[in-house]
């Protein structure tokens, strides 16, 4: 350790980070569940997003365990948590870049065949490289107590290891830096290609102007292409700042605000992906709303039967209202199954 101290993790910071872990856990789970339920939405980019969500799900669980424990020594629990979070976090970087590469090849290079052929390579790299790095770090006893110098209560690379800088780079930071550079470039190229395609079809705009839904979908996709690298950098930059401050041996890395932002950023990727690719995706959002309405309508329809109230005491108006609700319920269910 540079100055022989440790960063204090306060209870308020623990609560905030645990909340973001819970949101990421729920968000990643929702992405996985929607992919399992609606088979017609199982496109290749969605499958890649599910693999990313699995990594984010593991990260959220391992980070929550670490933040809740706030380890003080390199105990077996600390080492196990550090290994899982190291693997999951590194895998998340690789899958995030893999999705960008797939979209670039598919959209800019206009080759779905080549893009699909890259999927096995994505699996090999995004699961294999983090696994090899994590196992190697475990065998060399590099994972353990970190004193929260570049974490927020959880374990990572042992801060007392003589080559801790090298292993922090190998187990996360170097891939984080590469993602900072790769993601903006790829998504800018994708946006430029889409913009050129729109310009080339400018003579058809009077025809397309009468189709506002297509325009809204296109604008939302354009917004997502802009937000993906921005959100990634905004969330991850705080851990990078603390790492640089640690290299400079600056006490600013222990500031509670910076520590809190670091904890929120590292644990919010699953929640951010859920917001962008589930809640802000109109087809999936519509199906979720229809399913919720369907469940609520069923509960309201079954309530009079469960409380023992005889059906003959209901008024004619209540009966007609119930029939209307059941009809709406059937319509919603039918729409959700399409």
């Amino acid at each position: 350790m540079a100055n022989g101290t440790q960063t204090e993790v306060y209870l308020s910071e623990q609560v905030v980070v645990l909340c973001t872990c819970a949101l990421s856990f729920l968000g990643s789970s929702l992405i996985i569940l929607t992919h399992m339920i609606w088979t017609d939405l199982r496109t290749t980019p969605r499958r890649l997003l599910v693999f990313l969500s699995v990594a984010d799900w593991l990260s959220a669980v391992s980070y929550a365990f670490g933040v809740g424990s706030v380890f003080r020594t390199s105990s077996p629990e600390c080492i196990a948590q550090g290994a899982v979070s190291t693997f999951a976090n590194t895998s998340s970087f690789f899958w995030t870049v893999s999705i960008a590469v797939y979209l670039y090849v598919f959209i800019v290079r206009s080759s779905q065949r080549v893009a699909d052929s890259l999927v096995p390579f994505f699996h090999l790299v995004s699961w294999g490289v983090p696994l090899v790095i994590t196992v190697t770090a475990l065998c060399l006893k590099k994972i353990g107590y970190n004193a929260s110098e570049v974490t927020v209560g959880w374990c990572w690379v042992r801060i007392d290891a003589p080559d801790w800088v090298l292993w922090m780079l190998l187990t996360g930071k170097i891939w984080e830096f590469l993602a900072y550079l790769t993601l903006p470039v790829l998504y800018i190229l994708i946006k430029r290609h889409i913009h050129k395609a729109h310009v080339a079809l400018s003579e058809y705009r009077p025809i397309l102007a009468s189709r506002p839904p297509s325009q809204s979908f296109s604008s939302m996709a354009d917004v997502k292409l802009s937000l993906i690298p921005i959100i990634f950098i905004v969330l991850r930059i705080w851990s990078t700042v603390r790492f640089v401050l640690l290299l400079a041996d600056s006490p600013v890395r222990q500031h509670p605000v910076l520590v809190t932002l670091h904890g929120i950023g590292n644990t919010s990727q699953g929640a951010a992906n859920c917001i962008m690719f589930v809640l802000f995706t109109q087809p999936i959002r519509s199906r979720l709303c229809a399913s919720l309405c369907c469940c609520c309508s069923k509960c309201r329809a079954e309530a009079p039967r469960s409380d023992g109230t005889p059906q003959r005491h209901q008024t004619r108006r209540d009966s007609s209202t119930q029939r209307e609700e059941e009809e709406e319920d059937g319509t919603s269910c039918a729409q959700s199954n399409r």
Side-chain angles (χ1 to χ4, degrees):
M1 204 179 310
N3 55 8
T5 62
Q6 70 177 26
T7 301
E8 184 68 25
V9 180
Y10 299 102
L11 179 60
S12 59
E13 297 169 354
Q14 287 181 267
V15 171
V16 171
V17 177
L18 284 173
C19 288
T20 57
C21 286
L23 291 175
S24 281
F25 174 85
L26 293 174
S28 300
S29 300
L30 187 59
I31 292 175
I32 297 171
L33 287 174
T34 54
H35 184 78
M36 294 172 60
I37 293 172
W38 293 308
T39 57
D40 58 314
L41 297 179
R42 293 179 183 176
T43 61
T44 301
R46 280 272 161 190
R47 285 198 294 271
L48 298 180
L49 179 63
V50 168
F51 300 135
L52 171 61
S53 298
V54 171
D56 291 334
W57 189 92
L58 286 174
S59 293
V61 172
S62 60
Y63 283 148
F65 181 73
V67 173
S69 303
V70 188
F71 297 105
R72 302 293 180 182
T73 60
S74 293
S75 62
E77 294 82 3
C78 168
I79 296 174
Q81 178 273 308
V84 173
S85 62
T86 298
F87 168 78
N89 196 46
T90 307
S91 179
S92 179
F93 292 148
F94 280 104
W95 278 117
T96 302
V97 175
S98 295
I99 293 174
V101 172
Y102 180 90
L103 293 176
Y104 172 80
V105 175
F106 181 73
I107 296 175
V108 179
R109 298 301 179 185
S110 302
S111 178
Q112 182 177 359
R113 183 182 60 82
V114 175
D116 290 340
S117 68
L118 291 174
V119 174
F121 176 75
F122 293 154
H123 280 283
L124 180 64
V125 173
S126 299
W127 298 126
V129 173
L131 183 62
V132 170
I133 292 174
T134 303
V135 171
T136 304
L138 280 173
C139 294
L140 297 178
K141 299 181 179 180
K142 301 300 180 180
I143 295 179
Y145 177 58
N146 189 261
S148 296
E149 289 292 80
V150 276
T151 62
V152 187
W154 58 79
C155 293
W156 187 30
V157 175
R158 294 178 55 176
I159 200 68
D160 58 353
D163 51 354
W164 58 269
V165 176
L166 173 63
W167 281 100
M168 284 186 183
L169 290 172
L170 289 176
T171 57
K173 291 305 170 187
I174 190 170
W175 315 116
E176 193 174 63
F177 293 144
L178 290 175
Y180 289 156
L181 299 175
T182 305
L183 291 177
V185 171
L186 289 176
Y187 281 110
I188 288 174
L189 292 175
I190 294 172
K191 282 174 60 68
R192 286 184 58 189
H193 178 82
I194 294 176
H195 177 72
K196 290 180 180 179
H198 286 173
V199 172
L201 295 174
S202 59
E203 65 268 21
Y204 297 106
R205 284 179 181 173
I207 301 175
L208 298 177
S210 61
R211 302 181 64 182
S214 299
Q215 287 185 335
S216 63
F217 295 157
S218 177
S219 61
M220 179 57 70
D222 190 61
V223 170
K224 286 181 183 179
L225 290 174
S226 302
L227 288 179
I228 290 172
I230 293 175
I231 291 177
F232 178 86
I233 294 174
V234 168
L235 291 179
R236 295 290 183 171
I237 194 65
W238 310 110
S239 63
T240 304
V241 169
R242 288 193 70 202
F243 175 69
V244 173
L245 291 174
L246 177 63
L247 294 179
D249 198 18
S250 172
V252 179
R253 70 182 183 274
Q254 300 175 338
H255 195 282
V257 174
L258 186 57
V259 173
T260 303
L261 290 173
H262 177 189
I264 293 174
N266 268 43
T267 58
S268 295
Q269 192 66 49
N273 289 337
C274 179
I275 291 173
M276 282 193 298
F277 300 111
V278 175
L279 302 183
F280 283 0
T281 301
Q282 197 275 334
I284 298 180
R285 186 175 66 248
S286 298
R287 296 189 184 201
L288 286 175
C289 292
S291 299
L292 291 175
C293 293
C294 181
C295 293
C296 292
S297 298
K298 286 182 178 179
C299 292
R300 288 197 301 268
E302 293 175 358
R305 303 166 191 168
S306 61
D307 61 7
T309 304
Q311 293 294 327
R312 63 176 177 272
H313 293 298
Q314 293 182 357
T315 63
R316 182 176 301 176
R317 181 180 178 183
D318 292 337
S319 299
S320 61
T321 302
Q322 183 177 351
R323 285 196 300 271
E324 291 176 358
E325 289 178 350
E326 291 176 350
E327 291 176 0
E328 293 176 358
D329 176 33
T331 303
S332 299
C333 291
Q335 291 176 348
S336 65
N337 292 327
R338 290 177 183 173

